[in-house]
Amino acid sequence: MLGMCRGRRKFVAASLALIFIPALTWLYLSSANFTVKPLPLSPLDPQSSVLIGAAAEHQDLELQLRDAEEHNHALRREISLPPRVPTHSSHHGNSRQGNQLHTHSTEEGTGDSEAKKGVASGNSSDCVPQPVVNKCETIHIAIVCAGYNASRDVVTLVKSVLFHRRNPLHFHFITDSIARKILADLFHTWMVPAVHVNFYDADELKSEVSWIPNKHYSGIYGLMKLVLTKTLPSDLQKVIVLDTDITFATDIAELWVVFHKFKGQQVLGLVENQSDWYLGNLWKNHRPWPALGRGFNTGVILLLLDRLRKLKWEQMWRLTAERELMSMLSTSLADQDIFNAVIKQNPFLVHQLPCFWNVQLSDHTRSEKCYKDVSDLKVIHWNSPKKLRVKNKHVEFFRNLYLTFLEYDGNLLRRELFGCPSETDHNSENTSDARGHLPAVPAIRSGL
C-alpha cells in the first residue's frame, strides 16, 4: 500500500514537470523580445556618464531659462518706468522716466513718489493724441553770451542743436562786442540753410540789472535772462532760453512742443534743481534764497513771452528782488535765485519739465536719479564751475559727447530741410532799432 502511494506521487511529479517545463521555456523565449537596461554599478560606467551628462545639461538649461526670465522681468520693470519717447513730436516726454516727470505742486522732491507720478502720467499718455511741431515752424532760441570762453561753449551748443534739428531755427544772442564778433564771423562762414541769427547789445542792458549784487561767476551777464521780455522783439511770443554750457542730445523740436502742454497761467517751463542747494543743508549756516521745494534750474527755460508781458513780468521780478535783497544782500546763483523767489510767491507760473531736459552736472548733483540709461538723456548741463573736470561717475560719457561736438566739422551740418522754403537771404537786411538790436547775420553760412 505504501509502495503504491509513492508510485503515484512520482507519477504526479513527473507529469507536472512535463507540463511546467515547456511552459517556462515558452515564457522565457517570449520575454526575449523585451530589453531590460542594467542599472549602472559605477559612475565610470558609460551609460552612467551619459545620464549624468544629460542631467547636467538639463540643469544648465534650467539656469539659462531662469536667467532669461529674470532679465526679461527686469526689462519689463525698467520699461514700465521710462517709456521711450519718439524722436519726433508725438512726445511721451513727460513720462520718459518716473523720476523725471513732476507734475506741479506746492511741494517738490525727488525719489519714489515722483517715479510713481511719472509712471502714472506716462501710462495715461499712450492713448492721448500728442501735440506736434509743424515741420517748417521756426524754433526761437535765446542765449546770453559774453567773452571768449562763453563763445567757445556756445559754438559747441549750437553744433549740438543743429546736428539734431529738423526745423528752421532762429537764434537770438545777447552778446558783448567780443562774442558778437566771434559768432558773427563764424556764422558768416557757415552754409546751413533755414537758420537765422540776431544779436542784441548786452551793454545796453547792463543798467537794467547792474543794481543787483551777484556773487555768481557769470557776473552781470548771468542776470540778463530776467529782461528778455523787454529785450526780444515784442511780436515774439515764445522762446527757449539756454545757458552756454548746454549740450543737446536730441532734436530741440521735442522741447519746443512742450509749450503746447502749458495750462492756465503757466508761463515758465523749468526743470527741478538736481542738488540740495535750495534745501539749505549743504553746509552749516547755508542760507539760500527762497524756493519752492528743491527749486528750479534756469539753464533751460521755456518762456511764454506774450503772457509774461501781460502779467507785467518786469514789475514782478523787480519787486521780488528788491524785497529779498534787503535780507539776502546779494544773489548766489544770479538770475536763478530771483526766478525761484518769484515762483515761490507765484507757483502757478511754472510748468515743471521732465528732468532729462536739464541733466545737471553740478558739484552736488543728484542727477543720477534722473536717468537709467544714456538713451534717456536729452540735455546735458555743465553747471559746475569745474565744467568738464566735474566729478561724476558718468562724466567720461558726458565729456565724450561734449568733445564730439566741440571737434565736429560744421560742413557736415549743411543739409536742406526738405519741404521747407529756403530762407537763405531773408534776414540779411535787418537794421538796428531803438533798443540797440544789431543787424541780423545773413542766414546761416555754416561750416565749422
Side-chain angles (χ1 to χ4, degrees), residues 316-336:
M316 188 182 297
W317 76 258
R318 284 177 181 274
L319 290 175
T320 301
E322 290 172 358
R323 183 181 63 249
E324 296 300 332
L325 283 170
M326 293 178 66
S327 58
M328 300 301 298
L329 304 180
S330 66
T331 60
S332 296
L333 299 181
D335 65 89
Q336 183 169 300

Side-chain angles (χ1 to χ4, degrees), residues 298-346:
T298 56
V300 177
I301 315 176
L302 271 59
L303 289 183
L304 276 180
L305 297 171
D306 53 344
R307 292 190 194 176
L308 280 167
R309 295 181 184 113
K310 291 177 182 177
L311 290 172
K312 298 183 177 179
W313 168 252
E314 284 285 321
Q315 181 180 356
M316 188 182 297
W317 76 258
R318 284 177 181 274
L319 290 175
T320 301
E322 290 172 358
R323 183 181 63 249
E324 296 300 332
L325 283 170
M326 293 178 66
S327 58
M328 300 301 298
L329 304 180
S330 66
T331 60
S332 296
L333 299 181
D335 65 89
Q336 183 169 300
D337 284 338
I338 298 175
F339 270 102
N340 274 289
V342 172
I343 292 170
K344 176 73 171 179
Q345 297 296 320
N346 307 277

Side-chain angles (χ1 to χ4, degrees), residues 115-174:
K116 293 176 182 176
K117 287 192 288 184
V119 172
S121 176
N123 291 339
S124 65
S125 68
D126 290 341
C127 300
V128 178
Q130 298 297 306
V132 296
V133 176
N134 184 289
K135 65 179 294 185
C136 296
E137 179 179 353
T138 299
I139 296 172
H140 291 266
I141 304 166
I143 303 171
V144 179
C145 178
Y148 294 104
N149 290 335
S151 300
R152 180 187 59 193
D153 288 340
V154 83
V155 170
T156 305
L157 162 60
V158 170
K159 286 183 189 176
S160 70
V161 172
L162 289 173
F163 179 83
H164 296 286
R165 66 99 183 215
R166 291 185 175 88
N167 284 73
L169 300 178
H170 193 145
F171 289 97
H172 302 264
F173 290 109
I174 295 88

Side-chain angles (χ1 to χ4, degrees), residues 25-26 30-31 62 84-86 99 110 116 125 144 183 228 231 273 275 283 313 316 320 327 346 357 384 403 433:
T25 303
W26 178 81
S30 64
S31 66
E62 285 184 346
R84 298 210 177 250
V85 179
N99 287 342
T110 58
K116 293 176 182 176
S125 68
V144 179
L183 295 175
L228 289 179
T231 306
N273 201 47
S275 76
W283 57 79
W313 168 252
M316 188 182 297
T320 301
S327 58
N346 307 277
W357 283 117
S384 166
L403 294 176
D433 63 16

Side-chain angles (χ1 to χ4, degrees), residues 188 191-196 421-430 440-445:
H188 272 299
M191 296 296 292
V192 176
V195 179
H196 295 264
S422 177
E423 299 179 343
T424 304
D425 298 319
H426 178 71
N427 238 359
S428 59
E429 300 301 326
N430 285 10
V441 175
I444 286 192
R445 307 281 171 189

